[in-house]
Structures are given as structure tokens and as C-alpha cells.
Amino acid sequence: MKQHSSNFIYGTIASGRSFLWAICALALLLLAGCGGNPSTGEEDGLITVDVTKSYPEKEFVLQDLFDIEYVPLETTEEFLTTRWVLDISSHYILTMNLREGELFLFDRATGKGVKKICRRGEGPEEYLHAANAVIDEERDEIFVDDGMRRRFLVYDLEGNFKRSFKTIDHSVIMNVRNFNQKYLLCQDDYKIGNMNSKLTFFLISKENGQRKGIEIPYSNRISNWVWKIVSEDFVYSNNTDNCQIIPYGTKWYLMEPSADTVYALQKDLSLKPFLVREPSVQGMDPVVFLFPCMLTKDYCFMQSVEKFWDFDANEGFPRKDLVYDKREGKIYECVLQNADYEGQELNLLVKAFTQEVAFQFGLDPADLIEAHAAGQLSGRLQEIASTLDEEDNPVILIAKYKK
């Protein structure tokens, strides 16, 4: 079946009848009991969130939580890109033009264009579609996920081909992260065309593509995709688009849509329960997912998303931004404001790439110019907006963890 996505932009253990699930639930209760108050965060026990409850509202200012960088991407005839950021490393921002298949490396400090890479084609050293890409500065390599042909191609930072390796035939990789020197951390999606998938997360060797699965317990497989079958040969589809891999500190937090527990993946590849949602996702109709979005020392920001999309109206996935205050042991509905942009409330549908960067998103030049004219901007953002043209490349907001 051909598929069409409506969204090109881009993110309590189930009480089952089986003995295995009863043991899992008991184990989690014991873990929470050993850790102290189960509502005081990862170090002291499990965070528990009821996705059906209403919570009082609490406002936050972005700059109180994170250090903010604004990077205006250089605009030239050669460097014309979109807000689609694929990766951010220590020195580079990697973006893509979906239609042309061009990859762009920008200097993170200055926003200057460094390298344009276009290896789109059908040859053995080319990709049909760059679904994902990751920078590894230590190896001087870019890993490009050629999703249509189920393989990765590896280039140096100049765009020269180095090697390629296959993934498994039924994988539909949605997110890739630079896990460590040896492995990429990948998120597979359960959707039409991938109905045999059992694991959502796995590691792939950077050298040869050898795969290590990360098993998170659940009973029945649940997808965060919805689809509308138009004919035997055509399907409309869309997904919640929330990031399911959240890096923080030395850990990677993994959200499996079919499970009620979010786990922290440790350096030794062991899993530690971090957050438990209730009621169980296995018994909900309609399903409401709970995605962690970003973490700080004192807070866990989350987003609940109802699994519903109206293809005729082209709208849906009702969302609610939540935050867990580790110090108070309380949950609030979250309103996040940008002190540099009056009136801008930030949606927690954001993506993170490294343990340094909490999240990033692109700011449209036309919107910034309009906000500047209205006197809504201040500081560095005001300075940047005063020099912009509507046809310029986006300005990338990077929220870094405070040191």
C-alpha cells in the first residue's frame, strides 16, 4: 500500500492476566517502596502520573530553566534550507530539505554554512530518502538513514562516501541518536508496513549494522499511528510525532507506547523504571499516551496526547502539557513562556538530540519580523530579527541544560 502522511513536520505497569505481568507489577511496587516516596523523582522512587486527571496550571519562563542560544542560519544561493533540524552536535547544526534531499551543515557558533551534501540517487553510494541523519564529530562521520532501502550510508563531513550497512527488512526507523562511540540508538515505529515489529528501541553498530534489541515489557502492541484506508493501494496516515528518546545526564529515557512505564537506559544497557502512567494504556479507549519531553534537576516536563486524528478536518491529537515538580511531589498543567518573545507560549512537542541540548526548534523569519515590528522581542532575539529578511533561513532556538 502507498502511504500519505498528513503531517510532514515533524514527537502503572498493565495489570494483565498473565503471571509474568503480575510479577512485573510487584517488582515495580517493590522498587518504589525501596526508594522512598514514590512521587519524588527518579532518585527517590517512581513518578506516577494519572493522564485522566485535571491539574492546576503553573507558568514557567524558558530562561529560568535553560540557557538559550539563538542561531540565525546563513542564507546564500547555495545554503537555502528549512526548519527541519536533523541533529545538533558540539560544533554543527545539520538540517535537510526534504524535497531535494539536500543536507546542510552549519556552524553552530556563527550560523555560517559549512557544507552542502546532496548524494540523492539510486547508486550504491547514494540515498533515495534521508529519513534521519546523525553527526559523530569524533569519527568525522555523518550517518544517513536511507529508510526506503532499509540501510545506513556513512559519509565524512565533506560528504565523501565511506561505507554502508543494512538494517532489518521490516524496520521503520523514526528517530536516530548518537548513543556512544560504538552504537546508534534507534526508534522503530509500529505501523502499516511494519506490523511484524516487536521492539521499538535497538542499538545499531556504527561499523557493520549489527543490531541489539532493547526489550521493554508490555502485553499487546499499541501504535501511536492512525491511518485511514482510502483504497487497496492508498492509505492516509499520521502519528503523534512526539520524541520517544529523551537524553538527560548520562541516561536515555525511552517511551514505549505499548507500556505503562518509561525506563531510563543506563550506560551498561540496563533499564531502570523512571515514570509510571495510569490508568494502563492497555485498557484505554480512546488511548491517551504520556510522553516525557524534557528533564531538569527539579522538573519532569511531559505531554499527554489522545490518539485521535480527523483526516477530513486535518486536525486532532489533543494535547496537554504537564510538569512534575520533584521538590513538591506535585503535577501541574504547564505553560512555558519565552522571556525574549512576548506572548509566545511554547508547545512541548519538541525534540532533543544530546545530553547537552534539552530541545531545539526553528523560528520563522517572517514571524520574527512581525513580532519585532510589534515590539514583542527583546535581547539577542530582537537584535537578530532587526537584520532578517522574510526569505531568510530560519533562526534555530537551542535550549541547553544549565551547568
Side-chain angles (χ1 to χ4, degrees):
M1 289 186 179
K2 296 179 182 179
Q3 296 189 51
H4 170 78
S5 173
S6 302
N7 181 8
F8 289 99
I9 302 176
Y10 19 142
T12 60
I13 288 291
S15 54
R17 297 180 180 179
S18 70
F19 177 75
L20 172 61
W21 283 99
I23 291 297
C24 288
L26 177 59
L28 287 175
L29 288 173
L30 289 174
L31 280 168
C34 292
N37 185 338
S39 297
T40 55
E42 182 195 4
E43 290 78 10
D44 300 319
L46 292 171
I47 298 172
T48 302
V49 181
D50 188 332
V51 298
T52 65
K53 284 186 176 180
S54 296
Y55 297 100
E57 188 175 282
K58 188 170 184 175
E59 292 189 0
F60 294 85
V61 175
L62 184 64
Q63 284 76 3
D64 293 340
L65 301 167
F66 306 101
D67 292 328
I68 304 301
E69 289 181 13
Y70 295 108
V71 185
L73 301 184
E74 179 184 28
T75 307
T76 66
E77 290 186 4
E78 182 181 10
F79 288 88
L80 292 174
T81 188
T82 66
R83 287 185 286 174
W84 196 320
V85 176
L86 294 176
D87 198 11
I88 295 177
S89 64
S90 297
H91 298 95
Y92 300 107
I93 296 173
L94 178 63
T95 71
M96 178 178 68
N97 278 344
L98 181 62
R99 182 172 297 176
E100 291 81 11
E102 298 167 325
L103 301 175
F104 296 94
L105 271 180
F106 292 90
D107 184 276
R108 177 172 162 180
T110 65
K112 294 288 186 181
V114 175
K115 190 67 182 180
K116 173 182 172 181
I117 300 171
C118 189
R119 301 298 301 269
R120 190 171 188 174
E122 299 185 8
E125 299 182 1
E126 298 172 318
Y127 49 82
L128 284 176
H129 171 57
N132 300 278
V134 170
I135 306 169
D136 186 335
E137 287 193 32
E138 292 185 7
R139 300 171 64 109
D140 187 37
E141 292 179 338
I142 298 176
F143 295 82
V144 177
D145 169 26
D146 186 8
M148 291 184 178
R149 290 193 285 186
R150 304 293 198 273
R151 65 175 187 164
F152 276 88
L153 297 120
V154 187
Y155 304 96
D156 64 22
L157 298 187
E158 292 294 318
N160 300 307
F161 176 81
K162 297 184 71 174
R163 63 188 180 281
S164 65
F165 48 80
K166 298 285 289 183
T167 61
I168 61 174
D169 289 339
H170 61 71
S171 62
V172 179
I173 296 175
M174 294 301 296
N175 284 293
V176 182
R177 299 292 181 264
N178 186 22
F179 182 69
N180 59 22
Q181 291 182 336
K182 294 183 179 180
Y183 294 104
L184 301 172
L185 174 58
C186 301
Q187 171 199 324
D188 201 359
D189 257 21
Y190 179 56
K191 58 174 292 188
I192 289 181
N194 190 30
M195 302 306 285
N196 294 322
S197 172
K198 300 297 181 185
L199 297 177
T200 295
F201 305 102
F202 53 92
L203 299 172
I204 286 184
S205 166
K206 292 179 178 180
E207 289 298 330
N208 55 28
Q210 184 176 356
R211 174 173 168 151
K212 290 185 177 182
I214 300 170
E215 296 189 19
I216 293 178
Y218 62 84
S219 51
N220 298 314
R221 195 84 157 109
I222 297 175
S223 176
N224 63 333
W225 284 80
V226 294
W227 42 77
K228 178 181 179 181
I229 299 177
V230 179
S231 68
E232 185 177 345
D233 298 319
F234 197 82
V235 174
Y236 283 100
S237 64
N238 202 352
N239 76 332
T240 57
D241 206 33
N242 293 76
C243 193
Q244 294 168 228
I245 301 174
I246 308 298
Y248 178 65
T250 61
K251 303 178 181 66
W252 298 78
Y253 295 82
L254 308 180
M255 186 279 181
E256 161 59 60
S258 310
D260 296 316
T261 303
V262 174
Y263 291 87
L265 179 65
Q266 323 283 315
K267 281 186 175 182
D268 63 2
L269 305 188
S270 63
L271 292 171
K272 180 180 179 181
F274 168 69
L275 182 151
V276 177
R277 53 79 47 79
E278 57 183 23
S280 172
V281 70
Q282 293 288 331
M284 295 197 78
D285 186 17
V287 167
V288 177
F289 298 109
L290 182 66
F291 296 93
C293 300
M294 52 200 184
L295 303 171
T296 71
K297 180 176 67 71
D298 296 323
Y299 301 105
C300 173
F301 291 88
M302 304 162 285
Q303 189 172 74
S304 65
V305 185
E306 182 179 331
K307 184 182 176 180
F308 169 78
W309 185 263
D310 186 329
F311 287 97
D312 294 326
N314 197 33
E315 63 183 16
F317 295 133
R319 302 173 186 271
K320 185 181 294 185
D321 291 342
L322 303 172
V323 61
Y324 176 80
D325 189 319
K326 300 178 186 178
R327 300 166 302 178
E328 298 179 4
K330 294 181 179 179
I331 300 169
Y332 297 94
E333 191 163 342
C334 168
V335 177
L336 184 58
Q337 312 239 5
N338 184 351
D340 298 327
Y341 196 149
E342 182 184 344
Q344 184 189 48
E345 292 186 4
L346 306 180
N347 189 316
L348 294 186
L349 181 58
V350 293
K351 296 191 176 183
F353 301 112
T354 71
Q355 276 88 356
E356 179 214 1
V357 176
F359 65 91
Q360 62 75 35
F361 60 84
L363 298 170
D364 184 81
D367 293 339
L368 291 176
I369 292 170
E370 182 178 346
H372 176 58
Q376 293 175 275
L377 305 182
S378 59
R380 172 65 174 152
L381 193 56
Q382 180 185 37
E383 177 187 333
I384 291 172
S386 67
T387 67
L388 290 176
D389 182 85
E390 288 189 359
E391 300 301 319
D392 281 346
N393 281 329
V395 176
I396 306 302
L397 183 155
I398 302 175
K400 301 183 298 181
Y401 291 110
K402 289 183 179 291
K403 296 182 179 179

